[in-house]
Amino acid sequence: MIKNRLKIYLVATLAMFACEPDPLPIHLELPAQQLVVSSLLIQGQGVTIALTRSFSALNSGLTTDSTLLTSLLVQEAEVLIIENRLDTFRLQQVQDGIFVSADINPVPGNVYGLIATDLQTGTRVEAESIVTEQVQFSDTKGTLIPAGDDSLVNVSYSFNPHPDEDFYMVNVQKLSVDLDQTNLGIDLDLVVPRTFTHLVTKTDSGDQEISDEFIFIVNEDFFTGDTLIVSLASIGPTYYEYLEKRNNTRFGPSFVSEPYNAPSNVENGLGFFNLHTSDNQIIIVE
Amino acid sequence: MAILLSVTRVVVAQEIRTITGRVQDAEDGSPLPFCTVKVEGTNAVARTNDDGKFTLRTPSKKVALTFFYIGYISQTLDFDLKADTVIAITLLPSVTTLDNVVVSDERFYGENQIEDIRSSTTRVEAKDVLMVPGLAGEPDLIRTMQLLPGVTKGVEGSVDFFVRGGDADQNLVLLDDAIIYNSGHLFGFMSVFNPDMLGDVQMIKGGFPAYYGGRLSSVIDIKTDGTMPEKTTFNGSVGVISSNLTIAQPLIKDKLAVKIAGRRTYIDQLLKLTGDPDLQLPYYFYDFNGRIDFKPSPRHSFYFSNYFGADILDIESDDPDDNGSSEFDIDNTNLSLGWKYLTPTNNIFSLTLTNSRFSYLVDNAFEESTLAVSNSITDYGLKARYDIFNLDVEKLSVGLDVIRHAMDPLEVDASGIVEDIFPSARSSAVTSFEGGLYADVEKKLTERLSASVGYRQSFATVDGKLYLGFEPRLLARYKLNELSSLKFNFTIISQYQHRVSSASLSLPVDLWYSVTRDIKPQRATQFGFGYVKSLGQSGLLFESEVYYKYANNIIEYQEGTNLFLNTDFEQSIIQGTAESYGWEVLLRKKGERLNGWASYTLSWANRQVDGLNGDATFPARYDRRHNVSIVANYKIFKRWEISAVWEYLSGSRFTPVVAQYAIANPLNTGVTVENIYPDRNSVALSNTHRLDLSLVKKSKPGKKLYGEWRLGVYNVYNRAAPVGIQIEQNPETGLFNYQQPGLFGMLPFISYRFKF
């Protein structure tokens, strides 16, 4: 026993003298800010374009909040959308970084070009998008799976794919109920929304009805009778590729993932100019 | 002067007679490879092989044979050569007889390297390993090799190594001819090789003889010690991390002996003694080496060698309700069975059967759910080789080797709720055969010029697909004078197995994968030009070499690939080209008081893979421009020694996050934040340097129990060796800045080695 104690003291003494080295500083050349494009198409309500700027990793320490994001909105820009390379629509700025045109009524199969110029910096970006066909759910269902502290929901769905479209996304997010105001609204966390995107290709099924299911991790208390919003849209191949890479890196420590710069269809900028219409459904979890 | 000479007449007289023999250490009987044997008054010179054996042919009837070996007293033996003759000779280490006096009775230091045709090859002895102050005082073969020119280390302290711009999986590590797939204990921070079992060890970085194949960058050929002990001996050590004990036992004098060695960490057991539940480390590793040598006659020798080791992490949850546990088990097993036969014509036939198995299991349980991840690779191999000496060349080697690989790359087995998130899946099991047929001929072309020409026809079959590798080999040596020579080597080599690991870090749970119909073999072409010069009686040897290597079909992964529980990783593998070149310098010193070496490497390593980095060329992860190592051991007094290692390393390459942006998520209910990376591996981490010191006190000579105390410090001035880049917030200013953390700071250690 005495020998054992001696060993412990010896190891402990050596450990006390061990030091953690101070990290070394390093200076990195940071890239110039780039324009970032996001888009939203709502049938009958036109097209909305959001313009923001990228930001240095040292601005945030890799954590983001709404204050930072608000500061990135482009304050002054000219945004044009050109339909089939013929008709030009100038979007109206409704607030910092948000540009809207209700006059555009995108037609599936037509080509729409985007030209956006940041009037403060003179930066100009361009993108092109083909409007995809809208598809609709045939059926959706959510079933709660008891899972201790977490809540899991099995989401099942079916839809008929469009003959001209190969890539689809099914998105899901929790809806919350504000009991005080009895308002139903999206559980909106602007920065880290708990959404999940399930990707589908019709390669295997051809044009037959696609029926599948997946698990959505709610990550908080969730009960039978609570609600989810589920959306379905056909999307372009570049956006599909981006979402697939994003899904691949959902789990596991970052150091086992290969670094990647997300693909983009924006020339001289980042983000996506997408024109697809979603079928949104609200489901009550059983 | 203890010379043991036995002369056996084998064949009745011929005009040109053959002398074969074996040279051994007089103290422990170990073979002395690369010993120079010269027939005085003639040009006949031979060199002993790995087993200390040599063959000479001479027309002389009166022979004076001189034996030269570094660190040993040269011997000259006169006798009448009336027939083909077999001799055995033992040489005494020079330090045994003349203490504290510089002995330079060899013709000159480095003669072996100057004579040798091979280049890009370094022998490492157990005493080199023991001389280097290791991490936490643990002597380590791989970390010693990382101090040689052309070898670049990965993460600080890790035993991963990168040779001449290659990947970690391009190093063939052989233990008694069986492949070691995972050479690391302690999550890769300590190698699996017990220093007390080491026999002959050589590292080959280029100019591979034709009997080696299968990996592009290097061969680490480790033979365990097969000497016949004269008496029962115990060797061991007690260190901060682990302790080991080695027992050598003769069973039949000079015919049958057994040697076993075991090693285990014990920090888990020490912490158990504290009784403090918060101060527990449920991790340990152990390994076992066993070797049996059987020499029933002077012409036959057999050995059986076995290694097995495991790393075990076994965590149990404190909460009895959640039934949580996590077990992580890595297993390595190697078996070798060898036979060597000295034919009546004094040629050597050898046959080796091998078995290697590497597997790991990560088994997690929580409440009603389980998640197990497993991987294994099992090899069965055969090697046959015939070395012929009685032809009109110095040596002709022919042989074949074949290995059956059975790979179960990755299996994810989940149950309960976890299965809904990580569905049970497994990647396709692959069985493949790999091997080669080869011939190597070594000939003295002129008085100064010798060459070795070889050819290896390698092959691999998998899933009905046959891959062939055409692998010519050429080695040449031109002697400028007695003290210096020029060397050249050329190699084409193929690789049929790959290790699946991320670009950032190699882990013990990386898995091995074979070529398939879609994954093509990696192939490399390499040239090297070398210069060796002995600085005479000063005990200094200077070696320098430039090299160029080009490889195609090297393995990378598509951008954004996540290898975590990814059973479909094959779909993410992409292949490209690699180019590396550099200049290596090694200055060795052998003396009575001062021993060691200084090395410098200037190197470049670049890659190009379609689909990565916009198809543009990018530097390899461990493209370190300058590497300097100085290793020195100085005998202060009879019983006191001091050892030091100083390393300077250019920073490795990294791809940090430099910016971010936010885009609308697919539901348009918020944003997703994406990272922006610079060009792949475009950022060089800071250069680093480190000093390790140790002081050794030996026990008085003549005692039955010989002991050595070692007290030392790793990273004396506590400088970080960057492993990556992270962003930290300054608590005073609130501003963020980039930092490069290191893993190990100043780490004192103490250990005790003993022998009786």
Side-chain angles (χ1 to χ4, degrees), chain A residues 24 152 173 188 242 251 261, chain B residues 417 562 660 669 674 677 740:
Chain A
L24 302 178
L152 307 180
Q173 184 172 347
L188 185 62
Y242 158 66
F251 295 117
N261 285 314
Chain B
I417 295 160
N562 186 354
Q660 292 183 308
T669 55
E674 294 293 345
Y677 294 92
Q740 307 168 94

Side-chain angles (χ1 to χ4, degrees), chain A residues 59-185:
Chain A
N59 281 0
S60 62
L62 301 183
T63 58
T64 44
D65 56 31
S66 52
T67 308
L68 171 68
L69 294 178
T70 304
S71 72
L72 298 169
L73 292 167
V74 174
Q75 291 173 333
E76 209 176 338
E78 179 186 69
V79 180
L80 306 174
I81 288 181
I82 303 141
E83 184 177 22
N84 275 343
R85 300 185 179 94
L86 294 172
D87 301 323
T88 301
F89 299 87
R90 183 181 300 275
L91 278 68
Q92 300 300 311
Q93 182 165 359
V94 294
Q95 64 178 78
D96 283 353
I98 305 297
F99 303 83
V100 177
S101 172
D103 300 332
I104 308 172
N105 190 18
V107 178
N110 281 1
V111 178
Y112 291 80
L114 169 74
I115 299 174
T117 308
D118 182 340
L119 297 177
Q120 290 174 305
T121 63
T123 308
R124 171 180 158 133
V125 298
E126 295 185 19
E128 204 167 73
S129 180
I130 299 174
V131 181
T132 56
E133 297 282 354
Q134 185 176 10
V135 287
Q136 294 187 318
F137 285 117
S138 310
D139 187 33
T140 55
K141 186 178 177 184
T143 309
L144 191 68
I145 303 171
D149 295 336
D150 292 324
S151 294
L152 307 180
V153 178
N154 181 283
V155 177
S156 59
Y157 66 88
S158 58
F159 68 92
N160 287 301
H162 191 279
D164 297 336
E165 306 293 349
D166 291 332
F167 303 100
Y168 301 89
M169 64 174 180
V170 178
N171 300 294
V172 60
Q173 184 172 347
K174 181 188 138 188
L175 287 177
S176 65
V177 177
D178 184 335
L179 295 175
D180 293 334
Q181 300 179 26
T182 61
N183 282 334
L184 184 69

Side-chain angles (χ1 to χ4, degrees), chain A residues 17-19 24-25 36 38 40 55 57 146-147 152 171 173 188 190-191 193 215 242 245-246 248 251 255 258 260-261, chain B residues 417 420 502-503 559-563 658-660 663-666 668-669 671-672 674 677 680 720 736 740 745-746:
Chain A
F17 282 103
C19 302
L24 302 178
V36 183
S38 297
L40 172 66
F55 53 98
L152 307 180
N171 300 294
Q173 184 172 347
L188 185 62
L190 182 69
V191 181
I215 298 293
Y242 158 66
K245 285 188 171 174
R246 208 185 60 151
N248 283 344
F251 295 117
F255 58 79
E258 301 292 304
Y260 77 101
N261 285 314
Chain B
I417 295 160
D420 293 326
S502 82
E559 290 176 345
T561 298
N562 186 354
L563 296 170
V658 289
Q660 292 183 308
I663 59 170
N665 70 18
N668 285 304
T669 55
V671 297
T672 297
E674 294 293 345
Y677 294 92
R680 192 177 178 90
F736 293 97
Q740 307 168 94
M746 189 185 77

Side-chain angles (χ1 to χ4, degrees), chain B residues 275-293:
Chain B
D276 183 348
D278 296 329
L279 190 65
Q280 300 298 316
L281 180 65
Y283 166 83
Y284 65 96
F285 77 73
Y286 67 87
D287 56 35
F288 169 85
N289 287 87
R291 180 172 172 124
I292 299 170
D293 284 278

Side-chain angles (χ1 to χ4, degrees), chain B residues 385-425:
Chain B
R385 178 171 151 191
Y386 191 41
D387 295 317
I388 306 163
F389 299 94
N390 52 1
L391 298 173
D392 191 27
V393 292
E394 303 304 309
K395 182 180 168 185
L396 170 66
S397 298
V398 294
L400 68 89
D401 52 73
V402 62
I403 304 178
R404 176 187 184 273
H405 304 290
M407 282 169 255
D408 217 344
L410 190 64
E411 182 172 357
V412 177
D413 188 6
S415 68
I417 295 160
V418 174
E419 190 176 13
D420 293 326
I421 304 164
F422 299 109
S424 294

